[in-house]
Each structure stands twice: as structure tokens, then as C-alpha cells.
Amino acid sequence: MNREIFIEPVARVEGHGGIEVIIENDRVKEVKVDIFEGPRLFEQLVIGKKPEESVSITSRICAICFASHRLADIYALEKALGIKPSPKTKLLRKLVHYGEMIESHSLHYYLLALPDYFGYPDAISMINRFPDEVMGGLELKKFGNFVMETAAGRRIHGENMRIGGFGRIPTDEELDTLKMKALQLIPTIERGIQLWDQVEVPDYLEEETIFVSVWPEDGSYGFEADTIYVSTGETYPADEYKKVSNERVVQHSFAKRCRYKGKPYTVGALARILNMADRLDGLAADYFKKLYNERWHRNPHYNNIAQAIEILFCLEKMPDLIDAIKEAKYEFVEPTRLTGSGTGLVEAPRGLLIHHSEVKDGLVSYADYVIPTTQNLDDMEKYIRNAAESLLKQKVSEMELPLEMIMRAYDPCISCSVHLVKVIRK
Amino acid sequence: MGKPKVGIYGLTGCAGDQLNIINCEDELLKIFDIFEIESFVMASRAKNENVELDVAFVEGSVSTEKDLEHLMEIRKKSKILVAIGHCAVFGGVQSMFMGKEPWIERYKKVYGKENAVTLTPPLEPKPLAAYVKVDAVLPGCPIEKEPFLKLAGKLAHGIVPKVPDFPVCAECKWKENECLLLKGQLCLGPLTNSGCGAICPSMNIPCIGCWGPIAKENWESEALLLLEKGYKPDEIVKRFAIFGGTERAELLKNFLESHQKQESGK
């Protein structure tokens, strides 16, 4: 029997995407993840603009990871312009990055992902059964936003992070408020992590994959570096990012695709936590050890719990970070040259993000951006195909949600690359 | 009267305006209580598209034929259509290309020459009002929480509100900030819709115009002032174009060119 499943748009993701699964003669013939988001051509929008304009424009690529885009652009352009930022600038940027991780992960884990596992259409409907958890999720999200308001200027598209430094440095009082709040929220995320015990993780899709993340040179678990690590054991300096991503265009989508040595790979919280597991410490390490099993290497559903552990990681690290920010020296650094090129590597909440920029006589002359969801699309299709093959006997209507959940586990940020599932039985 | 039926939709954009609605953490439950949310795909799987809506909030620019189809469907079933965010109101940063070359040429540069568009035919990015009647607007890149909640509150009582039409400068003065423009910075505060609370100038950062141009803006005066401060016509035009749109940038370019001719003829 031939059937088509088409889930479109996929709900509870940021942006417009769809999954098309074509089943012919009781076999999965084709799986296509579609992106309907119109192409906005950012790499062309920045040409001829000043570096600081590029930073304001590219942070508009995505609302939820605007800070990551902004940081990747700043890092690329600071390298191009020969700027070495002051210690306080570096640490404050880290604080913004933690804020974005907490905000984005808590939105995804509590509000977008968990409702599926407990059979609800959204988090609001879940509130009667899990009032503390849902309210806790909102509380965490609010805190992440508060960090960004304080240090990045706004919840979304804040302009405070500049090339060379900050517009305004948060006061010690503001920083202390963040520190206190971070400590208060640790039990909240612990309760959230414990909720995962009640989740049944489907096993019918499992297959090994390659994980790619940043590789901080100082040996810490982190979200920025000048080195890329591939779980097959190789490392690459930032400028050689094309050896990892190998971007190509496919006909059915406005997002590009990436493969490492011809193989699909995964980026995101799961990739980070598996690549950098030895670098975790504190409660985050304890929960990881308690929850980890080897299925994590074969199943994207675990990306959700990896995100929750990263929320805990960020909250635990924040107090020391804030103390260091208060002590650190600040200086706004001006460009030392007006022509050059650079590659900025950061971990957006949903995975490795690369901005490569070239500047000529003070104006951007070339730009190339590699987006996390772009890198995840081939693996997404792979796991959706595996699941569809295992679920072939089920009705089309019963297949949709499990397939959609796989896509959602990747926390796809579709506005930046990629809606969601169409099963076609012919 | 029952609860007003509401749909929240996104076309092409960064989804930041919908996200800032979800970011109303303290008010989110109330919003779901006061309104019957029939469709909000970014927040819920439950949706009913076969119902007449009292209010539709739409963010994003019309950038593909699919976007246009979707917008037409929403318009048909909605009593009040509200454009939220810069992309829906003004077209967004993706509409700033300044008409230098056809869209397809820029597309090829990003996606490669051999790859034709096959998914849904793209359109030159435009705001909602280029295609349909828009009953109310809420600008911002992104929209802010307070103005959204005020707008939503009025709509809940059946009032279609107007956006206050004064520039960022007013909010900046209320905060008693030092004027960045007079200090010689390329600040677009005098030309830009207020509502953000003059957030950037308050952090010592010049306004980049992300709430879009106010209706009665005096861009000629600002352009002349910037010339006087030593900025070149090209950098003024480019900065105006990021959030100001192509049409205005062209007018500005012509104005500055004829001004320079006059000056050199003196």
C-alpha cells in the first residue's frame, strides 16, 4: 500500500518546516525535510556594510539564538580587524551566552519538547499535571531572558554587544542580582531533570552517528573556541571549517546541507555533552553520569535531556563567572587594521555556528554562515527514515507524532535554516 | 460575548515577534485565558484553521508564494489583521537590497548558479500591506512586551489601537540621555518609531532604526546634519536602508546627490 505522510507545518519549532515521507509498496521510498522559510540571503545583505552594521544585521538571522549569531559575527570580524578584546568583554560575552543557553534550552525542553512525551499538545495543557515543572520552566526561561536584558541590552536582538567591547557595562548590583537568582534556580532545574525519569525514550530509530562541537583550548566545557572537534577523533582549526561542513544545496529545501567525509553528522547539546563529557564537573557531571547510557550515541531524543543538563551547568558556573567579571579589567578596543578575514566559532543552543567574514577597506566584502540546523538536516532525515521503517504497520495518523518528535528533538531553528511531517503512502 | 478568537502566525522572518509573545512569561497563562487561541503553531500542536478569527497577529515578510497564499487565507478569515514586527510592517532587513540587481542574482550568489528554486517560488520580500489591508500595526525588531500587552488588551475590548507616532528621541529625552547625534554619532533616533524605550541610546549606542521610520519623519534635515558632521552620502544612505526600506533610501540618495550638485555649483 502506498501512503504519504506530510506534517506541515511542524508545530512548536521556531520557523517554517515540514517532513515528507513517501511510502511505496510498504517501503519507505523517500524522506525529505522541507524548509519553506523564504530565503533572506543574509550573506548578500551584509556586503558593502560596515562591520558594526554586519553585526546588527546578522543577529536578525534568528530571534532565539540572536546572541550566538551576534557573537559569531563579532568573533569573525574582530579577527578580521585585528582586535583583541579586554578580559571583561570576554567574560561578559560568556555571561550573555549562558543566558541564551538557559533561555533557549528551557523554552525547548519544557515548552516545546516535553509535552509530546506526556501526551499534551502544548505546555499550557500540561500545567495541571506538572504545575511546578511547567512554572519552573517559565521561571528559568524568564531568568535567561533577564540575563540577556541585563548584559545584551534586550531579550531579543539586543545591541549592547559590540565589536571591541560593550555599549554599557552592567553594574555590580545588577550582576549580584543575577548571581543570587542563578543559585536559587538550581533546585528548579534539578526537578526538571528528574522529570526525564518518567520519559519513555523510543528505541526504534537508533543508529550511530558523528558528533561535532567546539573544542575549547583551555580544557573546559564551553560554548566557544577556535577549534572544531569531530567525535571520530579529528580536530580542525576554525579557518578550516569547510573541511567539516562541506555545504551543498538540495533541491527540496531553502536550507543548505552538510556532510563530514560524506557522512551526516549531529550538532547541538547532545554532541557537546558527548564530546566534552570528561570536562563536566559539579552537579551537572553527577546528573550526566546518573542518566547516561550508550544509547545516547544512537538516539537524538537524548538531545532534550542534554539541554536540561546544560541549563544546570550554566547556572552552576554563573556565580564564579560573575565574580570574575566584577574583577576583570575593561577597555573598548578599536580596530588595528581595516582589511582582513576571520572565522568565528560558537555553540548556538542548537549546535555549532560558524560565521566567516572578510573585510576590505573597512567594509564587508564576503560572508559565509554555516548554521546548526543546516548541519543537522541529513541526520534528521536519517533518523526519521529509520523510525518510519519501524512504524510502517501503523496508520498514517499514528506515525506523524513520533516522526515529528524526532525533528523537534533537534530543536530546529527553522527561521535560520529550515516546518514539519508529511507521510505519503502510494 | 465569548472570548475573542485569535490566531498568531509567522511568515518569513526570525520568529522573534512570536517569541517575544512567548517571552511574556508572567502573562502567558492570562493571554491563553483571555483569548481563544485557535492557532499558534510556534507554541502549540493544537490548532483549528477552519474558524473565523476576531484577531490575527501576523509577523514576517511575504517572501515566497506560499507566504502570500498563507497571508491571503488569514486575511479572508480574520476581522482584524495586525502586522507585528518590522518584517510584517516594513519588510525587514531582507528588503533593503536597494534594487541594485534582481533578486535571483543575489539568490544564485548564495545558493550557487546551477541550483534553480524548486520548493516554493520566492518573491522579493515585502511587508503585509503590499498585498492585503492591515488594520493595525505594532512595529519593532523585535516587538516589545509592554506595547504588545497594551495592544492585546485593547483588542480584547474591541478597540483597534493606533501606534503612537513620535520618535525614539522623545523617549530618549524623557530618560535625560545625552544626545548622541549632537556628539557626532550616526544615530537614527529622530526618524525612528518609539516604543523601545530608547534602549540603545540609553546604553550609549546610536539608534539603528529597528522600529522603522515614523510617518512624518524629516529625513532631509537629519541627512544634512549628518553631512555636516562629516559622514559621506554613501554611508548615510546605507545606514538608512537597513531598517528604512528601499524606496526611502532611493529618495535619500537622489536628495543627497542633488544637494551635492547645488553645493558644488555655489
Side-chain angles (χ1 to χ4, degrees), chain A residues 12 16 35 37-38 43 48 50 53 60 63 121-122 141-142 145 154-155 167 251-252 254 256 404 415, chain B residues 10-13 16 23 25-26 41-45 110-111 118-119 141 144-145 199 203 235 238-239:
Chain A
R12 304 202 316 267
H16 303 225
I35 286 148
E37 195 76 34
E43 288 143 324
K50 294 180 187 174
E53 292 170 334
R60 263 76 186 182
D122 50 54
K141 201 173 101 52
K142 190 176 161 185
N145 275 327
R154 277 196 287 208
R155 275 165 288 197
Q251 292 289 312
H252 62 269
F254 284 135
K256 295 179 176 180
E404 209 177 312
S415 53
Chain B
L11 308 177
T12 294
N23 278 344
E25 291 96 356
D26 294 332
V41 173
M42 190 163 150
S44 176
R45 246 187 140 234
V110 174
Y111 286 87
T118 57
L119 188 61
C141 185
E144 280 298 325
K145 191 170 152 174
I199 178 82
M203 299 185 299
E235 59 185 325
K238 275 189 197 157
R239 183 66 62 91

Side-chain angles (χ1 to χ4, degrees), chain B:
Chain B
M1 196 180 91
K3 290 183 188 179
K5 293 184 173 19
V6 166
I8 302 171
Y9 301 96
L11 308 177
T12 294
C14 75
D17 307 301
Q18 293 176 85
L19 183 60
N20 249 352
I21 296 177
I22 299 179
N23 278 344
C24 298
E25 291 96 356
D26 294 332
E27 299 86 0
L28 197 59
L29 297 177
K30 243 182 223 163
I31 295 172
F32 272 75
D33 188 37
I34 292 168
F35 296 111
E36 198 68 57
I37 308 281
E38 301 291 350
S39 175
F40 187 2
V41 173
M42 190 163 150
S44 176
R45 246 187 140 234
K47 58 176 179 154
N48 182 4
E49 298 298 355
N50 303 313
V51 59
E52 298 275 307
L53 295 174
D54 294 297
V55 182
F57 294 101
V58 183
E59 81 154 289
S61 65
V62 180
S63 302
T64 63
E65 284 189 9
K66 211 168 168 123
D67 278 345
L68 183 55
E69 242 171 71
H70 193 192
L71 176 63
M72 292 300 183
E73 279 165 29
I74 298 166
R75 177 67 271 187
K76 227 165 123 188
K77 66 181 174 190
S78 311
K79 282 187 203 145
I80 295 167
L81 189 147
V82 189
I84 56 169
H86 191 280
C87 292
V89 180
F90 296 106
V93 291
Q94 59 269 31
S95 66
M96 65 154 131
F97 62 96
M98 316 248 315
K100 277 183 189 146
E101 57 186 358
W103 188 93
I104 191 72
E105 292 304 318
R106 279 174 288 131
Y107 178 86
K108 280 182 187 165
K109 280 184 191 162
V110 174
Y111 286 87
K113 289 196 170 38
E114 318 76 46
N115 294 286
V117 178
T118 57
L119 188 61
T120 159
L123 300 167
E124 197 70 72
K126 282 185 186 164
L128 310 188
Y131 297 102
V132 297
K133 179 175 171 273
V134 171
D135 303 296
V137 298
L138 182 64
C141 185
I143 60 167
E144 280 298 325
K145 191 170 152 174
E146 290 301 323
F148 171 75
L149 291 172
K150 277 185 195 153
L151 175 88
K154 286 185 181 156
L155 286 166
H157 291 93
I159 301 163
V160 183
K162 282 202 172 112
V163 169
D165 187 24
F166 55 80
V168 170
C169 283
E171 290 180 323
C172 205
K173 293 273 179 301
W174 293 336
K175 292 198 164 174
E176 301 185 348
N177 295 328
E178 198 182 345
C179 180
L180 297 175
L181 188 59
L182 291 177
K183 275 168 81 181
Q185 296 198 40
L186 213 172
C187 181
L188 296 184
L191 310 180
T192 305
N193 278 305
S194 58
C196 63
I199 178 82
C200 293
S202 305
M203 299 185 299
N204 205 21
I205 296 164
C207 171
I208 51 163
C210 75
W211 281 54
I214 53 167
K216 294 172 207 151
E217 53 168 355
N218 185 352
W219 50 260
E220 291 94 336
S221 294
E222 167 133 10
L224 292 177
L225 182 64
L226 289 169
L227 278 182
E228 207 178 281
K229 297 278 179 197
Y231 290 94
K232 295 189 189 75
D234 184 51
E235 59 185 325
I236 302 171
V237 172
K238 275 189 197 157
R239 183 66 62 91
F240 274 44
I242 296 176
F243 289 100
T246 311
E247 215 173 296
R248 191 179 68 151
E250 284 296 318
L251 289 171
L252 174 66
K253 200 172 149 200
N254 296 338
F255 169 76
L256 287 172
E257 275 170 13
S258 64
H259 174 79
Q260 281 193 313
K261 267 186 208 153
Q262 270 181 13
E263 287 293 299
S264 59
K266 267 181 195 170

